[in-house]
């Protein structure tokens, strides 16, 4: 169940207000009770002082009768104040002592007593008056009712509870209104975010008038929109490129088949048509396989089946495999350096093949291709360089994109479907490596790297100048020696 932030904040503010009101009310209640008890004791002291003077001077029976009359006159009719005198002489006796359970005591002879016969609690003050004249020592007790105090505290407590409840309710309502006003930027942010759609991908959240607390959130959301927009654009471009690449062979297949069906053909003509169709099917299969491979790489798949190998030997195997394309293009290659690394031999060979085929296709006859294996910090780089036409910087940064072919700057771009270098990039990333491209001084350089192995690192430390330089004619012997 989704709960409103404004309601939650308002409820929390109301609970905090109720707690504060309760805390303050409790303090006021205790202070008022203490003050009322203090005033009650002061009033009791005044009455006790007067009663003490009257009883102290009653030194004869005649004066004691007068003292009793005065005490009777001082006693209110509602019984809120009670005077009593007791002694060993029954004659010097007046009233009835307040007796019962003691609730609390205070210094100075004060006690709060609940009468045994029932009735409101009484605050008593008891003192002893020494003998004087013919009067023996007596004990004077003055008691005042707690009813006015209890009634005042009860009314005050009820009023305080009602005011606290009303105050908390007022805070709840006001907090809800204030919170909704404070959350207005968030509402506006939500409205702007809901306006973003595939048809309006360029829309971004307006951060100019947002408070500081929401500014970082809006900037992060805008960054996510930028990344999603880029990914969506790449997906659109990829889909368009896939459709374009698949349309060409499918169109050729349909056209050739339609032509073959227009009239009777000889067996040789049909065989020729089927052979041409087979080539287009092979092209379709290659595109689909490459797309599936790149899709797995996009899902974060890492290279498995890693084996510690000599990268120079692996590149030599690849050059041996490409011996015929090298001869047909009338170019030769040289291999420099070596390093040990844990790689998937099949994937590594495929990346090397793609880079070398790219170099072969864009080399002039008689040119030389240089393949260099170098260690760069925690990476081992395989660098393929060939002479060729300069490549513009804005083209270089896209050469490893899918289906990208620099048809203006590169020749033979129609002979492949533009996934070769993208596969090289995917294989490098599967080995925790990177790719790079550079064009300078008439030399075009393409490279990819794989993570260096610990074994190679130790060997490089022991033999810092270790490496091999292999001429084109030595590929076969090196591969055989490695296999042996």
């Amino acid at each position: 169940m989704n709960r409103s932030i404004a309601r939650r904040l308002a409820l929390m503010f109301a609970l905090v207000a109720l707690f504060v009101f309760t805390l303050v009310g409790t303090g006021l209640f205790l202070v008022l009770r203490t003050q009322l008890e203090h005033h009650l004791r002061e009033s009791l002291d005044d009455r006790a002082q007067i009663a003490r003077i009257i009883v102290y001077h009653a030194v004869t029976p005649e004066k004691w009768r007068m003292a009793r009359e005065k005490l009777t006159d001082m006693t209110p009719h509602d019984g809120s104040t009670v005077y009593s005198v007791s002694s060993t002489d029954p004659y010097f006796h007046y009233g009835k002592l307040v007796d019962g359970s003691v609730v609390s005591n205070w210094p100075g002879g004060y006690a709060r007593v609940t009468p045994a016969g029932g009735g409101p609690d009484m605050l008593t003050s008891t003192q002893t008056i020494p003998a004087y004249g013919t009067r023996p020592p007596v004990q004077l007790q003055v008691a005042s009712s707690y009813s006015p105090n209890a009634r005042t505290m009860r009314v005050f407590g009820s009023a305080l509870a009602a005011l606290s409840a009303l105050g908390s309710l007022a805070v709840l309502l006001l907090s809800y209104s204030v919170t909704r006003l404070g959350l207005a930027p968030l509402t506006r942010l939500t409205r702007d975010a809901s306006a973003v759609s595939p048809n309006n991908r360029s829309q971004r959240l307006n951060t100019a008038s947002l408070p500081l607390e929401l500014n970082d959130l809006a900037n992060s959301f805008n960054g996510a929109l930028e990344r999603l927009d880029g990914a969506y654009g790449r997906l659109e471009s990829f889909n368009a490129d896939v459709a374009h690449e698949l349309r060409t062979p499918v169109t050729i297949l349909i056209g050739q088949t339609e032509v073959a069906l227009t009239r009777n053909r000889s067996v040789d003509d049909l065989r020729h048509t089927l052979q041409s169709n087979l080539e287009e099917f092979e092209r379709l299969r290659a595109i689909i396989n490459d797309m599936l491979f790149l899709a797995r790489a996009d899902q974060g798949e890492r290279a498995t089946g890693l084996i510690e190998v000599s990268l120079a030997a692996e590149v030599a195997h690849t050059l041996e495999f490409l011996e015929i394309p090298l001869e047909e293009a009338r170019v030769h290659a040289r291999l420099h350096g070596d390093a040990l690394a844990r790689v998937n031999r099949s994937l590594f060979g495929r990346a090397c093949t793609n880079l070398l085929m790219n170099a072969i296709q864009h080399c002039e006859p008689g040119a030389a291709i240089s393949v260099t294996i170098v260690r760069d910090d925690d990476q081992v780089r395989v660098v393929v360089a060939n002479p060729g036409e300069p490549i513009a910087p804005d083209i270089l940064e896209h050469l490893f994109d899918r289906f990208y072919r620099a048809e203006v700057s590169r020749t033979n771009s129609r002979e492949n479907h533009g996934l070769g270098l993208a596969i090289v990039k995917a294989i490098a990333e599967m080995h925790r490596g990177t790719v790079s491209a550079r064009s300078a001084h008439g030399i075009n350089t393409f490279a990819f790297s794989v993570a260096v192995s610990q074994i190679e690192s130790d060997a490089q430390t022991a033999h810092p100048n270790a490496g091999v330089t292999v001429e084109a004619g030595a590929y076969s012997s090196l591969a055989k020696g490695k296999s042996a």
Side-chain angles (χ1 to χ4, degrees):
M1 177 181 177
N2 295 329
R3 291 180 290 181
S4 169
I5 294 179
R7 293 178 182 175
R8 291 178 62 186
L9 290 176
L11 181 59
M12 287 189 287
F13 286 145
L15 291 176
V16 171
L18 181 61
F19 173 76
V20 173
F21 290 154
T22 302
L23 191 64
V24 173
T26 302
L28 292 175
F29 187 86
L30 294 176
V31 169
L32 179 61
R33 187 178 68 180
T34 302
Q35 290 299 315
L36 289 176
E37 290 177 347
H38 178 70
H39 290 314
L40 184 60
R41 287 196 297 270
E42 287 182 344
S43 177
L44 191 62
D45 286 342
D46 294 339
R47 293 184 175 89
Q49 185 66 25
I50 296 173
R52 178 184 175 86
I53 294 174
I54 294 173
V55 173
Y56 182 78
H57 291 90
V59 295
T60 62
E62 293 77 9
K63 289 183 177 182
W64 173 244
R65 286 196 300 270
M66 295 176 60
R68 292 180 60 180
E69 292 176 357
K70 290 180 179 180
L71 291 176
T72 301
D73 293 338
M74 291 173 57
T75 302
H77 296 291
D78 58 2
S80 58
T81 303
V82 177
Y83 299 92
S84 62
V85 180
S86 60
S87 69
T88 56
D89 187 350
Y91 184 77
F92 289 93
H93 183 81
Y94 176 79
K96 183 180 179 182
L97 290 174
V98 176
D99 191 15
S101 60
V102 179
V103 178
S104 56
N105 288 298
W106 289 275
Y110 301 102
R112 181 175 178 177
V113 180
T114 300
D121 289 357
M122 305 291 288
L123 179 65
T124 64
S125 175
T126 304
Q127 51 186 294
T128 301
I129 301 176
Y132 185 56
T134 60
R135 176 182 55 77
V138 297
Q139 187 179 39
L140 172 66
Q141 184 190 67
V142 182
S144 292
S145 174
Y146 243 96
S147 293
N149 281 19
R151 184 167 55 253
T152 300
M153 295 303 299
R154 184 167 57 253
V155 172
F156 179 77
S158 300
L160 197 61
L163 290 175
S164 297
L166 291 176
S168 300
L169 180 61
V171 170
L172 177 64
L173 298 177
L174 292 175
S175 299
Y176 182 72
S177 300
V178 172
T179 303
R180 285 180 61 86
L181 183 63
L183 292 177
L186 185 60
T187 304
R188 187 173 66 254
L189 197 67
T190 304
R191 186 171 58 251
D192 293 344
S194 63
V196 179
S197 66
N199 298 326
N200 188 23
R201 301 201 313 266
S202 61
Q203 169 119 10
R204 297 294 180 267
L205 302 182
N206 183 13
T207 60
S209 58
L210 289 178
L212 181 63
E213 293 78 4
L214 294 177
N215 195 57
D216 291 341
L217 174 62
N219 288 331
S220 299
F221 189 79
N222 284 339
L225 289 178
E226 289 287 348
R227 294 188 293 272
L228 289 175
D229 188 22
Y232 195 89
R234 289 191 298 271
L235 180 61
E236 286 183 333
S237 177
F238 179 75
N239 290 337
D241 290 337
V242 168
H244 175 74
E245 293 297 329
L246 294 179
R247 182 179 61 183
T248 301
V250 170
T251 302
I252 293 174
L253 287 170
I254 293 175
Q256 291 179 347
T257 304
E258 287 178 344
V259 170
L261 293 175
T262 55
R263 57 186 177 85
N264 293 330
R265 300 285 180 176
S266 65
V267 174
D268 291 338
D269 289 341
L270 292 176
R271 183 180 291 110
H272 177 74
T273 300
L274 291 176
Q275 183 65 36
S276 177
N277 288 353
L278 180 60
E279 292 177 358
E280 296 303 325
F281 281 125
E282 291 290 346
R283 176 179 173 81
L284 281 174
R285 183 175 66 176
I287 294 175
I288 294 172
N289 287 339
D290 289 346
M291 288 165 48
L292 291 175
F293 174 80
L294 291 174
R296 291 196 303 270
D298 284 345
Q299 295 175 359
E301 183 175 318
R302 292 293 182 183
T304 58
L306 304 181
I307 302 175
E308 193 81 21
V309 296
S310 166
L311 298 189
E314 295 303 313
V315 174
H317 280 296
T318 303
L319 289 171
E320 183 179 11
F321 174 75
L322 297 176
E323 185 175 354
I324 294 177
L326 285 169
E327 291 180 356
E328 290 179 349
R330 288 182 292 170
V331 297
H332 62 280
R334 289 186 177 183
L335 173 61
H336 309 276
D338 191 12
L340 296 179
R342 291 179 59 82
V343 298
N344 181 298
R345 297 180 63 184
S346 176
L347 293 178
F348 182 82
R350 186 176 185 182
C352 292
T353 300
N354 287 359
L355 278 189
L356 287 168
M357 286 301 299
N358 179 74
I360 292 171
Q361 291 174 0
H362 301 97
C363 262
E364 295 294 335
I369 299 174
S370 173
V371 183
T372 306
I373 300 174
V374 295
R375 177 184 172 183
D376 187 6
D377 294 332
D378 59 344
Q379 300 279 313
V380 176
R381 299 175 64 238
V382 179
V383 184
V384 178
N386 64 276
E389 293 294 328
I391 305 175
D394 58 332
I395 295 178
L396 279 174
E397 64 182 12
H398 294 292
L399 287 179
F400 288 96
D401 293 347
R402 299 172 184 178
F403 296 113
Y404 186 85
R405 292 178 301 214
E407 296 183 359
V408 177
S409 301
R410 311 281 280 179
T411 61
N412 304 323
S413 62
R414 295 183 182 272
E415 297 178 5
N416 59 80
H417 49 267
L419 290 177
L421 294 181
I423 291 175
V424 174
K425 180 180 179 181
I427 292 174
E429 292 176 347
M430 292 173 73
H431 288 82
R432 295 180 174 82
T434 58
V435 294
S436 62
R438 189 169 68 92
S439 179
H441 309 295
I443 302 297
N444 298 324
T445 304
F446 295 84
F448 75 98
S449 65
V450 296
V452 69
S453 69
Q454 186 62 40
I455 296 177
E456 190 279 337
S457 178
D458 297 339
Q460 192 73 14
T461 303
H463 306 286
N465 297 321
V468 296
T469 300
V470 183
E471 296 294 335
Y475 295 147
S476 179
S477 61
L478 177 60
K480 293 177 182 178
K482 183 66 177 176
S483 299

